[in-house]
Amino acid sequence: MPMSTNQNTDFCIFWQMEMQLMLHISPSIYLAEFSTDGRLLHTNASMYEWLGASPLKSLLNPTFEQLLDMTAPLSNPVYNGFLTIGDAQGTFISLQALVFRKDERLLIVGGMDAKQLADHNTRLSHLNAEISNLQRQLIREKVTLEATYQQLNQVNASLKESNATKDKFLSIMAHDLRSPLTALMGLSEVLMENSDQYSREEMNTFIRLINEAAVKTYRLLDDLLVWSRSQMGKMPFNPGSMKLDQLCHEVIEVLNQTAATKRITFDVKVAEDTLVFADEAMIKTVLRNLVSNAIKFSWSDSVVTIFSEQGPSDAMLTVGLADKGVGMTEEAMTKLWSLSELLSTKGTNNEEGTGLGLLICKEFVEKQGGRIWVDSRQGEGSTFCFTVPMA
Amino acid sequence: MFIPQNTQRFSLMDIDTDRQSGFLNTLLAGERSLASNMVADFIREGVSVDDIYEQLLKSSLYKIGVLWETGRIGVATEHLASAIVQAIMNDLYPTIAATRKQPKTVVLACVENEQHQVGIKMVSDVFELAGWTTHFLGAGLPTDDLVRFMNSVRPQVLALSMALSFNWPTLEKMLQTIRRIFPSLPILVGGQAFGKGGQERLLAFSNVTYLSDLYTLKALLTNPASFINANVH
């Protein structure tokens, strides 16, 4: 319970010395006495720190002049409220203050409302915690957004690349289709308009040329269809165990007639019990393309060797096809596997190709967990190798 | 209650006492930038986030708590230090938030009415660094709201923090409520209040694990089954 007036008087008399000391040294009590003509008569240390060199100007709100105009009954404060002191251009504080006036003197007694300060401090502390949590939430969302943005960029880059490759591919294919179709149109037009002017022998020549152009177009479209289905993941993939030497002989049998026109023979150095784990249709396509290429680029009367050896790991087998033929330059080797560099080279007997065969080989070899590469010297021949899992 | 036996330290390196004192003085002076720079230096030197949390931030805040208890500082200074520590934790958070997450979820909160959230925030970060998805609900959350939230996210673990020992009855009431609704949910508890004893009061609850420090938590998270399946009374 607060003290009564009498108790307060006794209390102040009893503790007079201590009260004087406290008023002088306490950092939470602010005391100043001014004369009404504006002179600072007394102050304690804490108030002095804020009044500085210009005490009157340091009374910011209410000002000294405003305080002089205030009146009140004797012993009552002329002002009871917040008094802001300090440097208007710098730092200042608001004290909970009482201002008394007696004769020609003003007494200012100020201090801090500890309860209010504690309350504000707690509220600010909670506010800071909320802001900190909010900032953390924002950081988390930013990290997520950045990751999403990065993923989108990657997908976008990949789509752009894919689109550019397809554009280039379509452009090349259109060009390659144009040539045999032009031949078909020209030759058939000649036959339509002047068939009665040509001998039977000449007619046969035209018909043979038309057939060659049609076969070339068909092969190109067939290769394109296979490659396209593979790209779209629509090729069935059913790997199983099978004998490699048997596969080689089946492929050679199909192409033997073509090889015979250039008197090319085959030397299959694959052990009878060599088993591979592969999709039969895919590995046959790979072997057929590589054997076909070997025939195409070999000199007449040469030998194409097909061999196999374990490696590069215990579970893999390397299959190779070596020809004695035109070979190729370093630059040509680097362009073999790229869709954007698609090129078709004529063989030693002017055989033509689609340029898609090796790309299909690469797709199918990689689909089965292997890789494909070439070693070649211009004028000496090429050796194509690929790896395939052993059964 | 389950108290992990494997309390080996998972510290990569020790922060020497001189630098700990320097950091504490920086916090007491309210020098936020200086304190952030000191932590950035530690990160550059290869000190792990766990070590910074345990040996620098937590250690300093505990010492500040002692300074307050012994009348050397006021509550405002304590609040200021806590604000700086949370700002530093947010400086480190982008790296923590970028950790690849696994399908494991933890909900973290303070005991109802408890306002000290720095410790449980550190626990949240250690979970996140271990790849957990965290839901940090902070301070002052009523138990009913906590239960409602847990029903929506169905966490694998709940972690509760208690800094002040007079909140023991509130913690016990919360544990009773949560245990009634989630009979087998693993609950981790920790905080400065446990440093003054009273852990035996947790014996009344099943599958509640007391964690003395972040290193113990980190050790547990290397084998979550050790506490997720623990049901020791």
Side-chain angles (χ1 to χ4, degrees), chain B:
Chain B
M1 182 187 68
F2 171 59
I3 299 179
Q5 296 303 304
N6 176 14
T7 53
Q8 72 176 81
R9 288 190 56 189
F10 263 61
S11 165
L12 292 175
M13 64 173 73
D14 285 329
I15 296 174
D16 68 58
T17 50
D18 282 353
R19 294 178 81 184
Q20 283 180 335
S21 300
F23 183 77
L24 174 62
N25 289 333
T26 308
L27 284 186
L28 291 170
E31 299 279 2
R32 189 257 197 255
S33 300
L34 198 54
S36 282
N37 291 341
M38 291 171 84
V39 170
D41 285 343
F42 281 120
I43 292 286
R44 270 193 291 275
E45 289 167 26
V47 181
S48 71
V49 169
D50 316 295
D51 285 337
I52 286 171
Y53 279 11
E54 189 65 39
Q55 297 182 43
L56 203 65
L57 306 188
K58 180 183 147 186
S59 153
S60 297
L61 288 178
Y62 275 27
K63 284 173 190 162
I64 283 171
V66 171
L67 288 174
W68 172 75
E69 281 178 359
T70 53
R72 306 273 299 280
I73 61 168
V75 71
T77 307
E78 193 189 3
H79 285 167
L80 181 61
S82 167
I84 293 173
V85 165
Q86 290 189 73
I88 288 171
M89 288 174 70
N90 282 359
D91 290 343
L92 300 174
Y93 191 61
T95 313
I96 296 166
T99 315
R100 187 179 290 273
K101 299 296 183 289
Q102 299 156 21
K104 293 180 290 185
T105 303
V106 57
V107 167
L108 307 105
C110 293
V111 170
E112 190 172 338
N113 300 327
E114 176 78 57
Q115 296 300 331
H116 295 79
Q117 64 168 19
V118 183
I120 192 72
K121 206 180 260 187
M122 289 181 188
V123 170
S124 174
D125 286 355
V126 172
F127 265 103
E128 210 163 338
L129 280 168
W132 285 62
T133 298
T134 62
H135 295 283
F136 171 74
L137 303 181
L141 187 75
T143 305
D144 287 349
D145 291 344
L146 174 65
V147 166
R148 200 170 297 123
F149 184 81
M150 283 166 59
N151 267 323
S152 68
V153 299
R154 310 302 295 183
Q156 277 77 54
V157 176
L158 169 69
L160 293 172
S161 165
M162 182 172 71
L164 301 172
S165 50
F166 61 72
N167 278 325
W168 261 110
T170 313
L171 172 64
E172 287 170 321
K173 201 174 159 196
M174 277 182 90
L175 288 175
Q176 281 165 8
T177 305
I178 292 163
R179 193 42 84 229
R180 195 173 61 245
I181 301 165
F182 304 98
S184 58
L185 178 75
I187 302 173
L188 304 179
V189 293
Q192 198 168 4
F194 293 90
K196 294 178 179 175
Q199 293 158 21
E200 69 283 355
R201 295 168 76 161
L202 296 172
L203 288 169
F205 304 96
S206 63
N207 212 359
V208 173
T209 305
Y210 163 66
L211 295 176
S212 57
D213 55 37
L214 298 174
Y215 296 129
T216 315
L217 172 62
K218 194 175 177 187
L220 276 182
L221 293 181
T222 58
N223 180 20
S226 65
F227 68 97
I228 287 178
N229 299 325
N231 196 6
V232 183
H233 289 264

Side-chain angles (χ1 to χ4, degrees), chain A residues 48-88:
Chain A
Y48 184 75
E49 190 181 330
W50 287 94
L51 292 181
S54 310
L56 282 188
K57 285 185 182 172
S58 299
L59 298 176
L60 300 174
N61 183 41
T63 62
F64 182 72
E65 288 73 22
Q66 286 170 323
L67 288 172
L68 283 181
D69 289 342
M70 295 173 184
T71 56
L74 193 61
S75 297
N76 285 332
V78 293
Y79 179 74
N80 182 355
F82 283 101
L83 172 69
T84 302
I85 59 172
D87 178 0

Side-chain angles (χ1 to χ4, degrees), chain A residues 116-132, chain B residues 76 79-80 83 86:
Chain A
Q116 187 197 46
L117 275 181
D119 184 45
H120 285 181
N121 184 270
T122 302
R123 284 170 195 272
L124 281 171
S125 174
H126 291 176
L127 186 62
N128 179 70
E130 276 179 37
I131 292 169
S132 168
Chain B
H79 285 167
L80 181 61
Q86 290 189 73

Side-chain angles (χ1 to χ4, degrees), chain A residues 31-148:
Chain A
L31 273 180
E33 186 188 31
F34 285 90
S35 63
T36 50
D37 60 4
R39 286 177 294 121
L40 177 63
L41 302 175
H42 298 100
T43 182
N44 70 352
S46 52
M47 182 66 111
Y48 184 75
E49 190 181 330
W50 287 94
L51 292 181
S54 310
L56 282 188
K57 285 185 182 172
S58 299
L59 298 176
L60 300 174
N61 183 41
T63 62
F64 182 72
E65 288 73 22
Q66 286 170 323
L67 288 172
L68 283 181
D69 289 342
M70 295 173 184
T71 56
L74 193 61
S75 297
N76 285 332
V78 293
Y79 179 74
N80 182 355
F82 283 101
L83 172 69
T84 302
I85 59 172
D87 178 0
Q89 307 302 322
T91 54
F92 42 82
I93 55 168
S94 291
L95 303 171
Q96 189 76 49
L98 292 168
V99 181
F100 299 92
R101 179 163 180 173
K102 195 185 281 184
D103 301 329
E104 301 306 310
R105 293 153 83 171
L106 280 179
L107 172 65
I108 299 172
V109 185
M112 292 294 185
D113 182 340
K115 186 174 176 299
Q116 187 197 46
L117 275 181
D119 184 45
H120 285 181
N121 184 270
T122 302
R123 284 170 195 272
L124 281 171
S125 174
H126 291 176
L127 186 62
N128 179 70
E130 276 179 37
I131 292 169
S132 168
N133 294 348
L134 183 63
Q135 185 189 10
R136 178 167 278 245
Q137 187 62 33
L138 288 172
I139 291 170
R140 185 183 280 198
E141 284 171 13
K142 180 172 173 266
V143 167
T144 309
L145 278 175
E146 279 173 350
T148 309

